[in-house]
Amino acid sequence: GAGVSQSPRYKVAKRGQDVALRCDPISGHVSLFWYQQALGQGPEFLTYFQNEAQLDKSGLPSDRFFAERPEGSVSTLKIQRTQQEDSAVYLCASSSRAPNTEAFFGQGTRLTVV
Amino acid sequence: LAKTTQPISMDSYEGQEVNITCSHNNIATNDYITWYQQFPSQGPRFIIQGYKTKVTNEVASLFIPADRKSSTLSLPRVSLSDTAVYYCLPGSGAGSYQLTFGKGTKLSVIP
């Protein structure tokens, strides 16, 4: 596709449920990022992949959050035992190379934990 | 990472030029300054990036003074479709990859 694709667009989860959010980056993009955006706030960094290697996961809020990119293309962000404070928009971005380069964002997945 | 200060919100009438200034007093020597735009229910979109002086593209201009402690995004003749949140991001210097967004400036264009 022409842009970064995320699915699902909307997800409602019951507290305690596990969820998986998918990101299809732009073909050939080496770098992939996940961000979390709370209502009324700017996006906050979660994690960064270069190809299949997760080089930085310093932004993941707890060990309930896990991200993978096993073949260096599609990525999945998994949240275990969801809690209400996990409710946010989760944004995926990709870029052709990391430093000083334009990042292309998907439309995000809006997660609501009830 | 450089801390930024931007106005929380701005209003403008259609057809006017809008200037949004961002302060980043402790910007690093090798940091660029990048601006992103975000519409409701969309991911952020890259607008423009510069290091010093002036950069212009088909969407906006970016003015950066010699001390690089601030930058101004200039949107010529705004339209209703320019209503969005605008983020100033100093950083992305050599070896860096993390984008630090802050709260941005919510621009409302009024007919």
Side-chain angles (χ1 to χ4, degrees), chain A residues 9-10 33 35 37 40-43 45 48 55-56 58 91 98-108 110, chain B residues 30-32 36 38 41-46 49 87 91-104:
Chain A
R9 284 294 314 276
Y10 304 93
F33 312 82
Y35 285 80
Q37 186 170 24
Q41 305 294 315
F45 172 81
Y48 161 57
L55 299 186
D56 188 344
S58 62
L91 294 161
N100 299 332
T101 192
E102 177 180 352
F104 295 84
F105 282 81
Q107 289 186 300
R110 181 178 296 278
Chain B
N30 60 350
D31 280 349
Y32 283 70
Y36 277 77
Q38 187 175 25
S41 301
Q42 300 285 325
R45 183 178 75 123
F46 173 94
Q49 184 183 74
Y87 296 97
S92 299
S96 169
Y97 48 82
Q98 198 179 115
L99 301 176
T100 303
F101 279 86
K103 293 189 177 182

Side-chain angles (χ1 to χ4, degrees), chain B residues 55-71:
Chain B
V55 178
T56 298
N57 62 21
E58 64 278 5
V59 176
S61 294
L62 178 60
F63 298 92
I64 305 168
D67 65 6
R68 301 193 344 109
K69 293 186 176 183
S70 66
S71 59

